[in-house]
Every structure is written in C-alpha cells, then in structure tokens.
DNA sequence: CGAGGGATTGAGATTCATCAATCTATGTGG
DNA sequence: CCACATAGATTGATGAATCTCAATCCCTCG
C-alpha cells in the first residue's frame, strides 16, 4: 500500500471558482449568499484530481481534509478483519466526503474513487471556524448530513429486510434517480454506471456470484441491464416497486 | 391505530429543569454555558411520559416535536409494505429522536418506546431559531447526528457482511457498552435489557426463530445470555471479538 | 497476441427462513 | 388465590435463498 497522499494530484492551474461552480446547488455552499462565496472559498485549500480506483483516505488513519466531490464517483466503505467490505454510500458530485463527529479523530471509514474524479479539499482543522462564522454553511452541513443519514437508514432497511433481487432493485433505482437529479440534462434511460458486479455485491451485502445470477434474472424479466459501464432501465416502475423505492424520496435527497 | 398523540402524557408538575439535568452531559444541551440554559430551556415545550411499547411518531406522518430521551429506551424503525420491520437504532437516555433533513416534511421513520419513558419535547417549528441563535446547541446537534451516522454505518457493516451470531454479538456488545457509559454507576456484567428476541431479530435482520437458536448457541458457548429482561455478559472479550466490535469506538459515541 | 480482470455458469454445501407445535412466564379477572 | 389468557421462548422438520469452490468465457488493454 503506497502512501494515500500520492493518490491526490493537486491541480496547479485552472481551479474552478465557487461563484461559478456548476454544481453548487448540490454542494456545501448551496445557500451561501453570493457576496460571501469568495470568503468561504478561502477555506477550500485546493482542488485535486484522482485517478479511478484510488483510495483517498482510510479507516483508522488520520485525514487532513474533508472533501466535496466536484466530478466523478466515489465509494465510502468499511472492511472487516476477514477482508469483507461493505460499501456504505456511493458519493456523486456535490456530496461531502469525510465529515464525522470528531473531526480530529482517525477516520471511521474509507473512501475510494470509482472513476477519474476531481475533489475540492477543505482542511479539517479549519472547519470549526468556517462553521462558526458562516451560518449558511453550518445549516447546509446539517442538512447534508441528515440527508446522508436518511440514505443510510434506507439502506439498512433494504439490506436487513429484503431479498437479493429487491436489494439490487432498490440500490439501482435509488442511484438512477440520484444520477438523474444531478445530470438532469440527459433524459435517456441509459446512464453511466461504473460499478462492477463485485461493487454491487459489496453495497448490497451479496456475493458477486449471486449478484451476477440476480442481474441475469432481472435482465430476463425486462427490468434493467448493466453492460460495459452502462445501466439501462427497461421498466422503472416495476423496478421501484420491486425494491420498495419511492422516487419521491429523492426530493429529500436533492435539497435544493 | 389510535391517534399517536394519546400516547404522550404531559407531565403537569415536577418537570425537571435543564440546569439540574442529570443526563445533560449526554444530551443536546451538553456544552451550553450554564447561564444560557434557562433560555435554551424555553424551547423545550414540555416533558411527556410514555408507557412501554407505544409509538410516538410514524413514518410518512407529520410530527410536531423532536425529542430528547430523558428516561427509558426507544426503538426507531422503518417498515416495508409486507410488514417486515427494520430497527434502525436503539435510543437511550440523552439521544435525540426525530431530527431529519427537512424538519417540516413527514417523518422518514417511526419511533416507539421499549419501556416506560420520559421525553423532553422540542417543537420542530422553533428548532431553526434555536440553532440560529445558539452556537453551542447547533454544534452539539451536528456532533450528535454525526455520532448517530457512525452507529448507523457500523450497523450497515454488520448486517451486510456478518453471520447471524456475529451480528447478535455486535449488536449486544455495542448496546452493552452504551448502557455502561450512561449508567456508569453499575459495575456489574448484568444489565437491564428490555428487547424481545423478535426485537433483536428486527434489529439484526434475522427472524426471531433464528435469533432464538443463535442465542441458545451463544449461551452454550458461555458468551452471554438473555433472560427476563436481563442481559448477562459472560465473556465480553470473546463477544466483542466475535462481533468485530471495538469497545474503543464507544468513546466516539459518548462525546462528553 | 497474450495477460488479466471482470462476467458467467455449474455443482454442492450452508445458512437462514418458514411452518407448525409446544412450553413457560406473566398478568388478569373471577 | 387460582384458572385462564396471552405473549414470548423453545424446539423440530423442511425448504429456499444464498454462499463457496471451481471452471470457463469474454472483453479490454498493453
């Protein structure tokens, strides 16, 4: 395992500015008055690029930064001693990475990129000052955390109480609606989907073999199919129904 | 289903005051300077008693209040259309109930008492003002939410990746340490434990029958036993080891 | 063109759920 | 104080869902 720091490559030129950020409506600085953005931006120490499939921080180790996903996908996860891995959340543009109760303590989970990605980095040490001095950011952070809590609780329900096909239906329909909410320009039922079958298994608490069989069955039932990093939805109503996912709850996820 | 409101019985006399609250170190007003407590207490509209096994708010319905558990145990949970129930969290004294991203929206989960209990009620409508005007409370709420997020993620890991006996070991050892942290006077390895085997199943994603068999096995292995609302721990080290629970993480839970 | 990671399929074992019955403790009404 | 009612605990038998091990296939990339 190489030093995790080498996975973060600082962007020397062409860093984006918060006042012109295209995903601000999704992110931490949503709701910050325009004339305060240049000040809040001073807390963003820099932007980093990350290659696909790189860890950016790890459970039980310290991490200097919290991040906002500017571009790309991440998985946050925990691992057991026997190597089993549980993906806790898929982070999409606008989502926060690495916030936790005790900012100074070692991380309680790990995070890794699923695609090439760009991150905005905030030094943990300066977060208390930012939250103390800017009520909009503080309020927004609370909102984002509560949103993530809701997502986490929904996943607990699905993993604890649903069958394999139901879990996958829930997982994919939720992700599908989140993607649509972010990349709203595309009306298609095909979306980019960089997760391997093993990733899906780690997220839903199933083995990759069983994920494979279940996906085959879903394909044959005309529900959806995944191939070459593309998720094609064939019957979104049936899929949501099967997974007990209510698209209206994505409203709660958007928060803008 | 009767009106949920009838489950809350207002305490007419003898309401406790925040300045003398014995569990404040665990609760929302931890960290609030003494001379601000009488002001913050004005946001607590009143205290309620609740009998055991009563619902206090329900998923998809509005709820007038957020609560702090003053006395007793609660379960927060979600249910599926087919009646299956997932317990998301066991709330103990000091814990918050009913906070969520959009305070005005219908509840995203339900909550019910497990024992006779006492609650401090805060009108949702006034929370924004409290959070805006008092930095200590706002900071503390963030901390409590992040703590609950950590607990939720740990449960996701255990339910997604561990076997029945491991899940129960995790669940019980975590709860055991949380209880010890709250009722620190008792040094015994026996603690009050009001959950039925069905509750344990709903919390761990198992059927009550399988919980029963697994508990029998744990009893025979000399790990722990549960009888007449009492949890007796026989080998806490083995239990933590089996469930992959690190007692040090309870430090993160305490936050005081 | 070869290498490697992910996808696919098969066979067999295991864990856990389901159905059904009995037992036990606790509380209630007579 | 006892008989009964009820909820929770316990046990057995059976079946389904999912995991594990093993092999092969396929696609992509160098």
């Amino acid at each position: 395992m190489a030093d995790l720091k080498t996975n973060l490559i600082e962007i020397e030129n062409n860093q984006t500015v918060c006042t012109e950020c295209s995903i601000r409506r999704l992110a931490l600085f949503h709701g910050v008055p325009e004339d305060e953005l240049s000040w809040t931006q001073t807390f963003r120490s820099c932007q980093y690029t990350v290659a696909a499939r790189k860890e950016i921080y790890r459970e039980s180790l310290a991490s200097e930064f919290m991040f906002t996903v500017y571009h790309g996908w991440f998985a946050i996860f925990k691992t057991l001693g026997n190597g089993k891995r549980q993906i806790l959340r898929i982070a999409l543009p606008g989502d926060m990475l690495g916030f936790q109760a005790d900012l100074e303590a070692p991380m309680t989970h790990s995070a890794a990129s699923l695609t090439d990605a760009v991150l905005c980095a905030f030094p943990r040490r300066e977060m208390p000052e930012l939250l103390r001095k800017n009520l909009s950011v503080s309020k927004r952070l609370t909102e984002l955390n509560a949103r993530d809590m809701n997502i986490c609780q929904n996943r607990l329900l699905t993993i604890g109480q649903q069958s394999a096909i139901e879990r996958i239906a829930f997982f994919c329909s939720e992700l599908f609606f989140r993607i649509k909410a972010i990349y709203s320009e595309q009306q298609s039922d095909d979306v980019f989907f960089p997760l391997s079958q093993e990733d899906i298994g780690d997220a839903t608490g199933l083995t990759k073999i069983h994920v494979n069989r279940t996906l085959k069955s879903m394909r044959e039932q005309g529900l959806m199919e995944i191939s070459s990093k593309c998720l094609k939805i064939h019957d979104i109503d049936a899929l949501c129904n099967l997974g007990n996912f209510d698209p209206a709850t994505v409203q709660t996820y958007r928060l803008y």
Side-chain angles (χ1 to χ4, degrees), chain A:
Chain A
M1 138 183 62
D3 185 355
L4 296 183
K5 276 216 165 184
T6 62
N7 290 338
L8 294 175
I9 298 148
E10 188 167 342
I11 297 180
E12 304 280 350
N13 306 305
N14 299 108
Q15 295 202 8
T16 63
V17 294
C18 295
T19 49
E20 290 166 19
C21 179
S22 61
I23 57 154
R24 202 172 80 229
R25 74 187 198 286
L26 304 161
L28 183 63
F29 291 165
H30 169 76
V32 176
E34 296 285 327
D35 60 358
E36 294 174 17
L37 279 173
S38 57
W39 180 77
T40 59
Q41 180 170 341
T42 63
F43 286 87
R44 190 194 74 181
S45 61
C46 82
Q47 286 183 306
Y48 290 103
T49 60
V50 189
R53 302 281 165 180
K54 299 289 183 192
E55 238 176 298
I56 59 170
Y57 57 81
R58 183 174 301 161
E59 191 176 355
S60 83
L61 299 182
S63 166
E64 189 180 346
F65 300 110
M66 291 176 40
F67 304 96
T68 290
V69 179
Y70 181 74
H71 173 76
W73 291 35
F74 286 80
I76 75 172
F77 58 95
K78 277 174 174 274
T79 45
L80 288 171
N82 59 15
K84 288 190 176 179
R85 181 173 84 131
Q86 176 66 41
I87 292 183
L88 304 168
R89 182 163 61 96
I90 303 295
L92 302 179
D95 289 350
M96 299 245 25
L97 294 175
F99 182 80
Q100 58 185 28
D102 183 347
L103 283 167
E104 307 293 321
M107 297 308 298
T108 61
H109 61 265
S110 308
S113 57
L114 294 166
T115 66
D116 291 348
V118 178
L119 290 170
C120 300
F122 300 84
R124 313 181 81 77
R125 189 178 318 134
E126 295 174 22
M127 287 306 292
E129 185 190 348
L130 174 57
L131 296 177
R132 185 156 22 89
K133 292 192 180 163
N134 193 295
L135 195 64
S136 313
V137 175
S138 161
K139 183 157 175 284
R140 178 61 171 169
L141 181 70
T142 303
E143 217 173 45
L144 289 175
N145 283 332
R147 189 265 312 252
D148 287 343
M149 179 62 121
N150 190 22
I151 294 182
C152 189
Q153 292 183 339
N154 285 335
R155 314 232 12 248
L156 210 44
L157 175 64
T158 191
I159 293 184
Q161 304 298 333
Q162 295 189 295
S163 68
I165 193 169
E166 290 167 341
R167 291 185 216 180
I168 293 177
F170 180 93
F171 180 73
C172 289
S173 48
E174 186 207 48
L175 212 35
F176 178 74
F177 278 101
R178 285 177 63 201
I179 293 165
K180 297 291 265 191
I182 292 171
Y183 305 102
S184 46
E185 64 278 8
Q186 53 185 70
Q187 292 300 318
S188 147
D189 284 339
D190 298 11
V191 295
F192 173 66
F193 193 86
L195 304 204
S196 70
Q197 295 184 351
E198 187 165 13
D199 292 329
I200 297 173
D202 288 348
T204 53
L206 302 164
T207 59
K208 59 186 175 185
I209 289 95
H210 200 63
V211 168
N212 183 282
R213 289 189 224 275
T214 308
L215 286 178
K216 181 185 180 188
S217 158
M218 296 174 91
R219 198 187 316 130
E220 288 167 356
Q221 290 177 48
L223 290 169
M224 52 169 256
E225 64 187 296
I226 297 172
S227 61
S228 52
K229 302 199 174 186
C230 176
L231 168 66
K232 292 187 213 298
I233 302 286
H234 295 314
D235 188 342
I236 188 63
D237 293 335
L239 199 66
C240 289
N241 198 44
L242 178 60
N244 218 273
F245 178 73
D246 177 3
T249 65
V250 178
Q251 306 301 329
T252 331
Y253 294 175
R254 297 177 74 163
L255 296 176
Y256 59 83

